[in-house]
Amino acid sequence: MKRTLLILNVLALFSLALIAPNTNHNQIVNKLQKYVSDFPQEKLYLHLDKPYYSNNEDLWFKAYLVDAFNPSLPPVSDVVEVELINEQLEVVERRKIKLNNQGGAGHIELPDNLEPGKYALRAYTNWSRNFDQSFLFTKSFEVISTYNQGNQDQSAQETVPSDEFDLAFFPEGGDLITGVPTIIGFKALNASGIGIDIEGQIIDQDGYVVTSIKSIAKGMGRFILTPQTDQSYTARVNYQGKTQAFNLPEAQKTGYSIKATHSFDSEKIILGVYAKGTSLEGGMLLGHQNGQEFLRVVNGSKGLSASIDKADFPTGICQLTFFDGDGVPRSERIVTVNLPEASDEISIDGKKNYGKRDKVSLTLSSLTEQNLSEDFQNLSLSITPRDQILIHPLQQNIRNFLLLSSDLRGHIEDPEYYFSGKKEAYQLLESLMLTQGWRRFNWDEVLNGEDQNFNYLPERNITIQGQISNKANGSNPVQGIVSLSVMNEEFLYLESETDENGQFFFENVEFYDSTKLLFEGKRIVEKTGKEKDNVYVQLLPDQPLPVDDINFADQSHDTDRIASYLTQRAKINQIDQAFNFDEDDFVVLDEVAVEAVNEVAIQKNFREYGMLYQKPNNRLVMDSIQAAITGVSIFDVIQGRIPGVRVYGAFPNQTITIRSTASLRGDTEGPMFLLDGVPVDASTISNMAPTDVEFVDVLRGPRTTIYGPQAFGGVFAVYTKRGRGRNGGEYVVPKNILRVTYPGFSVAKEFYSPSYDIIDYSAGKPDYRSTLYWNPNILVKNDTSSVSFYTSDQEGVFDILLEGITSTGKPVYKRDVLYVE
């Protein structure tokens, strides 16, 4: 009723003729509501324990997923892909996270040999691949080496001239129209994607100055222009002593334009639709948010305009769309008149001051109104030392991401600033709405929703697909039945019937870490003279999501804190080396009797393996490495363990390069891969189970010449345990059997937080954690929850950062501090 009265009051205020509800208008609204119901979209956020890392350190994260259109509903997906991407836009690591209560924890071990530089985490669901990928979550950060502290101001390094910049213009309502006064938003960015302050003039084609322009902040601003017929306009802008010219969009002779006028001090927003060379008859201005209509104004005798109380607008980003009399969308405008100020959804109670190795106990109390006993808040908590890591008060957090950044294109600088409630922030927010828009859907999709064809389905668990065929290369597919045995502590057996192309699918399979899988394929119809198991089974490769672009812009850090952080990390590394014995470096052997070894016999065994060389440059024996048991692929196991060998990509699309004389000259040719002496491609090696491998040899330089030019990039030779059988023979797996080690859901290891209630303070290993505490699995039920941990040997101020969501998808964000003396 309130919504109906609002529309009536608006129309009466301007003496507009209220016409009967237009059936076409109702159909548009119904299609919009059906679209957001049938094709929900998702918002995904990652909470990281800190904003930058060093080599040989753990990156901890918590993923949160909500329905983009209706956060109170559970999202359609339960599986999240998290990728670590470098500046070369290569996927370095990948994790598959299983969600519980719309959240899931994970971690990535940053190896000791990881190249320092800028990285990003990208997170998405399989379902989100159907939609505009500019809305996928990315979070950039730096990995800073502790081994080269003489040149650590990496965030300040520029790879392009500092005076290069770009300037873009965005007319209100979409188009410039001749004779129609139009607000034009603009945004200026430097070559690193950061907003810059500019000023200049708008000149017409005859060189006359029409108006002046100057950015408000963060490269954004706006001005008014009334374009004249047959005139073109150019912005002449100065930045750091360099003047450049940028053309404004060409003005249209006919068209429509939505106008929205409001200010920080006003109580109302004035809306209007202007038309030039066309008619507003039968038109409708629709106000909607997340697919829900909150305003409808139809054309009357005096045009289409309205004055509305700002309090009647929903909180957050609202979309205004004008439809002509034929129901075609002609103009759009994004407005935000009610953005909530920063407010607490939860309190952190407990003592603020502690001693070193002292027990901390915190109570988390919900401040939201709980209506049901099962309501909860799913939270993650990180605590970091302020003298090493600055948690910037205006940085991205779960609240400003879900309520603002996630619905806008491009990078948003200092997003928390817009929640300050300040007049300056309100004015800048209007420029942000003009320049960065909102495109979670387009109207062609909405109005033709019944024709939607999505290639990617929501995932609740792991999906595995493959094919059976007559040939080992996958040709001549046949129909049949494929069984899957999951070889873990909870044995699982499934069967799937193939389609006419021999393809099979196993959906809703749940297992964790790298797990041994066994596939067995059989025909449905036997052919004369052939056994029904005379088929080959192969898995179809994943279709990785391309990495087209990543914004690495938001990486400016305090250099003093960086220096302190690196000093502390170097101290931690020294302590670890002094106190820890790496189980990969030492192998404890049973007592043995040493006898003379026949060198000729050893060489004979080498030749039985198919070796053409006498001695490799490097050899890695798998049984001596604990990681060979848990590693997903051979490439994961060798990462950082063979000098000069670098691993690229993520399973199952991994490969390597071998540093050699060729690579030092700049050649990029990959190595030759051998499996028991037989040349194979990298994918064959990547899909092998590390536990099936006895050892790996690496050849470089002159030792590769025996294999000819194809080994110019080195040789990577893998020798299996079954290569030489118990009696010298070879173990042969039936062709219809496929055994693989497959990556399951990632299991985040437990964050190490020592307990000092039973340990003497003066004894044991020194404790200087760069992340004092990380807890990704806090559930606040019935209003309260509690956590406890111990401080370390470090004194100072520690920042507490708490993020999460409620059971209705509402973001939770809280900052606090504790002191250690």
Side-chain angles (χ1 to χ4, degrees), residues 632-700:
V632 173
S633 75
I634 296 172
F635 295 141
D636 290 331
V637 177
I638 69 167
Q639 175 85 336
R641 291 186 168 89
I642 302 180
V645 177
R646 186 171 181 181
V647 179
Y648 294 90
F651 180 87
N653 303 301
Q654 293 171 291
T655 189
I656 64 168
T657 58
I658 298 174
R659 188 175 67 239
S660 62
T661 304
S663 62
L664 291 175
R665 290 200 308 262
D667 299 296
T668 58
E669 185 174 355
M672 178 183 186
F673 294 95
L674 299 176
L675 178 59
D676 290 338
V678 179
V680 295
D681 57 23
S683 62
T684 300
I685 302 298
S686 180
N687 281 281
M688 291 186 63
T691 51
D692 289 339
V693 175
E694 185 163 356
F695 62 91
V696 172
D697 281 350
V698 171
L699 281 70
R700 59 171 64 85

Side-chain angles (χ1 to χ4, degrees), residues 283-352:
M284 172 186 66
L285 178 63
L286 178 67
H288 52 101
Q289 184 186 66
N290 296 332
Q292 299 301 313
E293 174 192 6
F294 68 87
L295 172 70
R296 188 190 303 191
V297 182
V298 297
N299 182 46
S301 60
K302 295 185 179 181
L304 203 160
S305 57
S307 176
I308 302 172
D309 288 339
K310 288 163 61 175
D312 291 323
F313 263 64
T315 298
I317 297 177
C318 301
Q319 187 171 10
L320 303 172
T321 308
F322 171 72
F323 296 86
D324 66 16
D326 295 324
V328 178
R330 295 295 188 179
S331 180
E332 287 194 319
R333 174 72 153 90
I334 309 304
V335 295
T336 301
V337 298
N338 295 316
L339 194 61
E341 295 185 21
S343 60
D344 293 330
E345 303 294 334
I346 201 164
S347 67
I348 302 177
D349 304 313
K351 191 173 67 169
K352 298 294 184 183

Side-chain angles (χ1 to χ4, degrees), residues 26 40 104 133 142 147 155 195 228 262 273 339-340 342 367 433-434 457 517 523 601 650 676 688 702 714:
N26 291 334
Q133 294 181 16
E142 286 191 67
Y147 304 112
S155 62
Q228 301 302 311
H262 61 105
V273 180
L339 194 61
L367 301 179
M433 294 297 101
L434 286 170
L457 299 178
L517 306 182
R523 297 178 184 273
D676 290 338
M688 291 186 63

Side-chain angles (χ1 to χ4, degrees), residues 466-469 477-483 495-506 520-524 535-537:
Q467 186 180 54
I468 61 173
S469 59
V478 297
Q479 288 184 271
I481 295 177
V482 178
S483 65
E495 285 190 349
S496 173
E497 186 172 335
T498 71
D499 60 18
E500 62 275 10
N501 297 315
Q503 294 188 6
F504 59 87
F505 299 86
F506 290 100
E520 181 177 5
K522 294 183 179 181
R523 297 178 184 273
I524 291 180
V535 295
Y536 292 88
V537 181

Side-chain angles (χ1 to χ4, degrees), residues 151-171:
N151 183 21
Q152 289 300 333
D153 191 14
Q154 298 167 335
S155 62
Q157 294 177 5
E158 291 283 351
T159 59
V160 293
S162 60
D163 59 354
E164 290 190 5
F165 69 101
D166 190 26
L167 179 62
F169 298 94
F170 306 87

Side-chain angles (χ1 to χ4, degrees), residues 40 69 86 103 113 127 196 261 361 378 428 514 574 576 695 728 797:
F69 295 135
N86 62 19
N113 64 340
W127 174 247
I196 56 174
T261 304
S361 296
N378 187 357
L428 190 62
S514 54
Q574 292 174 353
D576 287 342
F695 62 91
V797 182

